[in-house]
Amino acid sequence: DDPEKLAEFQAKIDADIKVEPRDWMPEGYRKTLIRQIGQHAHSEIVGQLPEGNWITRAPTLERKMILLAKVQDEAGHGLYLYAAAETLGVSRDELTEMLLDGRMKYSSIFNYPTLNWADIGAVGWLVDGAAIMNQVPLQRTSYGPYSRAMIRICKEESFHQRQGYDIMMKMAQGTEAQKKMAQDALNRLWYPSLMMFGPSDAESVHSTQNMAWKIKMNTNDELRQKFVDQTVPQAEYLGLTIPDENLKWNEDKGGYDYSDPDWTEFFNVLKGNGPCNTDRLEARNKAWDDGAWVRDGLMAHAEKKRAAKTA
Ligand code: 3HC
């Protein structure tokens, strides 16, 4: 890229002026945005699977309606994000193809199973809690369409987390068996939730450049730390124990010291060897194949309407 244009572009970023689709942008900026927004959108869509699995098994009609609303919200979040990615010159079909053939990622957390109803509470509380921690700063990201999609998404996310925490309260303050289920869900989902913030800063590939371009507003470890500091008191209120014997308040840093997730497990899940990777991609491939007749019908109808208009 032409150094003058690059300098002008960086000055624009530093002045917090939003980059819009028709503006000049470095090829690397476009590429890394397609990667991040596309994978963010994939995470929303694949994220519907673990929760969708429990809509028919919700313990009450009210819980079923809440979960249905949340899963529908996630589909909408995917739509806003695919639409934001399309403004960068990639089609939604291309992005879907790259998800289905494994060339693009989605958040590692969705490769873990939801084994019982307490997991649905822990997913809302921890996974949506982590997602909010990561998405709130992204409302100020430099790319206009992404920032506006984030503002809309963040408005809905707090309901997602609250309903999850409400399930955890019900169970943690319920029978002994329910409390045991809530603790077991926390034990299984704690470290995978920490992994949602990405590898440690030292291992992060994109952080430096993406923070210079204000695509990423905080480092992975900063947000992970904020998430731990916010979540520990919430676990204490529930009377549940965070599964980390090194967890300790550190007065000097004004935050908790905590154990890192198992990074070998993290990179293994990213490589496709998590508990549910195969199921998730099979489910998305099946949905794509099963939906072909709907897409063909819509295209044929659009073609007929277009032909009628021009006749
Ligand atoms: N799962 C899968 N891949 C991950 C990951 C995770 N938890 N964390 C990092 N990675 C990947 C990165 O994508 C990158 O691989 P790539 O070059 O093939 O894309 C590699 O690991 C190195 O990580 P980096 O830290 O260098 O990557 P980033 O700078 O992109 O940081 C991120 C990763 C923090 C997830 C960042 O991409 C981001 O903030 N994305 C937007 C938010 C997002 O996607 N959140 C996912 C959850 S959305 C959600 O949970 C929906 C909610 O409604 C439940």
Side-chain angles (χ1 to χ4, degrees), residues 35-36 39-40 43-44 70 74 77 105-110 127-128 131 134-135 138 146 157 160 195-199 203-207 210 216 220 266-267 270:
R35 173 193 64 84
Q36 175 162 331
Q39 293 181 157
H40 195 162
S43 303
E44 303 284 0
K70 177 178 188 305
E74 309 296 7
H77 295 177
K105 298 179 165 75
Y106 54 87
S107 188
S108 50
I109 184 69
F110 299 123
V127 173
D128 287 83
N134 161 287
Q135 291 174 148
L138 282 174
Y146 192 25
E157 284 291 3
H160 295 175
M195 293 177 194
M196 286 175 67
F197 294 96
E203 300 284 304
S204 176
V205 170
H206 303 287
S207 283
N210 280 11
K216 181 180 263 191
N220 299 356
F266 171 74
F267 285 109
L270 259 54

Side-chain angles (χ1 to χ4, degrees), residues 136-294:
V136 163
L138 282 174
Q139 295 176 104
R140 296 192 319 279
T141 189
S142 57
Y143 188 57
Y146 192 25
S147 140
R148 293 188 288 272
M150 276 293 97
I151 292 167
R152 174 86 190 261
I153 286 173
C154 286
K155 287 191 185 356
E156 293 171 341
E157 284 291 3
S158 46
F159 143 64
H160 295 175
Q161 187 196 23
R162 263 206 320 277
Q163 63 84 35
Y165 193 68
D166 185 50
I167 292 173
M168 293 306 276
M169 274 177 20
K170 198 66 122 232
M171 297 192 78
Q173 291 152 9
T175 63
E176 263 321 294
Q178 284 177 313
K179 179 161 184 173
K180 206 164 148 301
M181 281 172 75
Q183 182 61 57
D184 170 55
L186 172 55
N187 293 346
R188 281 182 290 105
L189 288 166
W190 172 254
Y191 287 106
S193 298
L194 296 189
M195 293 177 194
M196 286 175 67
F197 294 96
S200 65
D201 291 350
E203 300 284 304
S204 176
V205 170
H206 303 287
S207 283
T208 316
Q209 179 58 70
N210 280 11
M211 288 189 72
W213 278 334
K214 293 189 186 172
I215 292 173
K216 181 180 263 191
M217 309 306 281
N218 306 80
T219 74
N220 299 356
D221 288 332
E222 266 169 37
L223 290 181
R224 199 178 347 260
Q225 179 68 58
K226 266 183 83 178
F227 173 73
V228 172
D229 294 345
Q230 165 185 290
T231 310
V232 171
Q234 293 172 346
E236 281 164 1
Y237 178 79
L238 292 172
L240 299 180
T241 313
I242 301 258
D244 175 2
E245 66 283 354
N246 302 325
L247 190 74
K248 195 164 52 23
W249 178 256
N250 175 329
E251 200 43 45
D252 304 349
K253 86 176 183 186
Y256 286 90
D257 290 335
Y258 62 93
S259 310
D260 269 348
D262 172 348
W263 294 120
T264 323
E265 179 184 329
F266 171 74
F267 285 109
N268 222 348
V269 173
L270 259 54
K271 272 211 299 283
N273 309 323
C276 301
N277 294 56
T278 320
D279 314 24
R280 302 299 184 221
L281 274 191
E282 269 170 12
R284 290 315 309 155
N285 272 288
K286 183 171 180 331
W288 177 256
D289 298 341
D290 291 355
W293 68 275
V294 178

Side-chain angles (χ1 to χ4, degrees), residues 14 29 94 99 123 142 180 185 275 304:
D14 296 345
Y29 180 84
E94 284 167 305
L99 166 69
V123 162
S142 57
K180 206 164 148 301
K304 235 165 67 184

